[in-house]
Amino acid sequence: RDTPKGVTRPKQATLDDGKRKHDAGIQPIHDTRSSYTTSRGTELNFKDWWQFNVAGYELAKILDLNMVPPYVERKVGGQAASLTWWVNDGMLEVERLRRKLQPPDLESWNRQMYVARVFNQLIHNSDANLTNFVITPDWQLWLIDFTRAFRASKELENLKNLVQCDRKLLAKLRELNKALLQQRLKPYVGDMEIDGLLARRDKIVAFFDKEIAEKGEAAVLFDLSRS
């Protein structure tokens, strides 16, 4: 069935194995263009691929980042697509802002947002918007929809989005290497996308190392609660 949100018109389905039921989100989008123009400008070699959803989940697992719901490859009606485990009772960030709701623990919320920004800079998510942040009733933040991420660009999209970083995430970023990413992310991304990701990783790590040297570790790093 159709969902009311999403530029790529994702579908929603109910999974049932006879023992339990749960909904899934389906995105079969696989759009490649030589150029694509939006309000942000013109992007060359544009890709809007369901495969990047799966790559995003696999990368989140490598980074031990429990903020991305499972994305897997499946065929739906004979068409390849990504399926994601639906986040129940979720509120979009755009709704939270519209309703002017404040999180009960502002520090915890800010830390989740800082981590989300680091992740989106790492994968160069060119379509990160307020409908891609899902908030559960316990104020856990979940990141969804990476179909326009994993660009080949070696530059960060917006350095100003880097503020603070989770200590474990920074350590995991340092450990990334091409062989590991090729093993875990292919065939959902190619070598050009992996090279771009590693170049952006280098810039993110260099930025936080400089911040730590100037401000001290306590002002830059924190320990994100993982459950």
Side-chain angles (χ1 to χ4, degrees), residues 2 5 7-8 12 46-47 71 80 84 103 118 175 193 226:
D2 293 331
K5 307 286 185 181
V7 175
T8 58
Q12 188 174 358
F46 173 80
K47 295 178 180 179
Y71 278 95
T84 183
V118 172
E175 296 174 0
E193 286 84 9
R226 286 171 168 80

Side-chain angles (χ1 to χ4, degrees), residues 15-190:
L15 308 178
D16 186 351
D17 65 358
K19 296 180 181 179
R20 60 179 173 176
K21 293 183 180 181
H22 194 90
D23 281 359
I26 306 168
Q27 283 181 286
I29 185 74
H30 186 88
D31 185 10
T32 303
R33 307 184 193 186
S34 58
S35 66
Y36 184 72
T37 301
T38 67
S39 59
R40 298 184 179 184
T42 299
E43 180 180 350
L44 302 179
N45 191 29
F46 173 80
K47 295 178 180 179
D48 196 352
W49 287 7
W50 64 262
Q51 289 94 328
F52 294 154
N53 283 333
V54 184
Y57 174 56
E58 292 300 322
L59 179 60
K61 289 196 293 184
I62 294 172
L63 298 174
D64 194 19
L65 190 64
N66 190 30
M67 295 177 72
V68 177
Y71 278 95
V72 296
E73 176 184 356
R74 292 291 186 270
K75 280 192 174 181
V76 181
Q79 185 177 16
S82 68
L83 260 69
T84 183
W85 191 258
W86 198 265
V87 180
N88 284 342
D89 303 319
M91 171 179 59
L92 301 181
E93 172 67 350
V94 67
E95 298 173 6
R96 182 188 76 83
L97 294 175
R98 179 179 56 81
R99 294 165 59 184
K100 299 180 180 180
L101 298 177
Q102 292 299 318
D105 186 339
L106 186 58
E107 181 181 48
S108 175
W109 173 254
N110 286 338
R111 287 178 173 181
Q112 290 186 81
M113 289 300 296
Y114 291 151
V115 168
R117 291 173 183 174
V118 172
F119 187 71
N120 278 327
Q121 290 301 304
L122 176 66
I123 65 176
H124 204 288
N125 192 351
S126 63
D127 190 41
N129 60 72
L130 299 179
T131 65
N132 299 151
F133 297 86
V134 183
I135 310 158
T136 53
D138 59 355
W139 289 90
Q140 166 75 35
L141 179 64
W142 294 93
L143 310 179
I144 62 170
D145 195 353
F146 312 113
T147 64
R148 296 185 183 181
F150 290 94
R151 286 353 196 187
S153 172
K154 296 182 178 181
E155 301 300 323
L156 297 177
E157 189 175 33
N158 191 348
L159 185 64
K160 293 181 180 179
N161 279 342
L162 300 181
V163 181
Q164 294 182 8
C165 189
D166 168 56
R167 186 175 282 100
K168 188 172 186 178
L169 173 58
L170 185 59
K172 290 288 185 179
L173 288 174
R174 298 185 195 278
E175 296 174 0
L176 292 180
N177 59 72
K178 190 167 185 175
L180 173 64
L181 294 177
Q182 286 177 327
Q183 177 187 11
R184 298 286 295 274
L185 303 189
K186 281 192 169 185
Y188 305 110
V189 298

